[in-house]
Amino acid sequence: VVHRLDAHGYLVLVRSAEGAVALDLHVVVAYGLNLAEVAATVRSQVTYEVERHTGLRVASVDVHIQDVKRTA
């Protein structure tokens, strides 16, 4: 298991099993957005980009909505 903080301090957990990676993403979402839609979009885009850039198979991407923030 690899624990990483990205440039914004958000937690990304990476697990490897049987030649594939499983990702846990903890994200902050802007108030007013459809949370299910945001999670589905993040899951799809992350899967595509990780597979495209690394050649690794993505077994799963779990998106956790850590917080909802109002924008200024």
Side-chain angles (χ1 to χ4, degrees):
V1 176
V2 177
H3 300 264
R4 296 185 186 187
L5 291 179
D6 73 1
H8 303 287
Y10 301 126
L11 183 63
V12 177
L13 305 175
V14 181
R15 300 181 306 273
S16 178
E18 300 177 20
V21 293
L23 305 165
D24 285 304
L25 307 176
H26 295 257
V27 299
V28 176
V29 177
Y31 178 81
L33 295 177
N34 180 312
L35 300 181
E37 197 172 291
V38 169
T41 300
V42 168
R43 185 176 297 112
S44 175
Q45 284 298 114
V46 167
T47 298
Y48 173 76
E49 294 295 342
V50 168
E51 289 178 346
R52 183 172 76 95
H53 288 287
T54 68
L56 296 172
R57 186 175 66 80
V58 175
S60 66
V61 176
D62 295 324
V63 179
H64 307 274
I65 307 298
Q66 194 71 29
D67 200 1
V68 176
K69 299 275 185 177
R70 288 195 181 268
T71 55

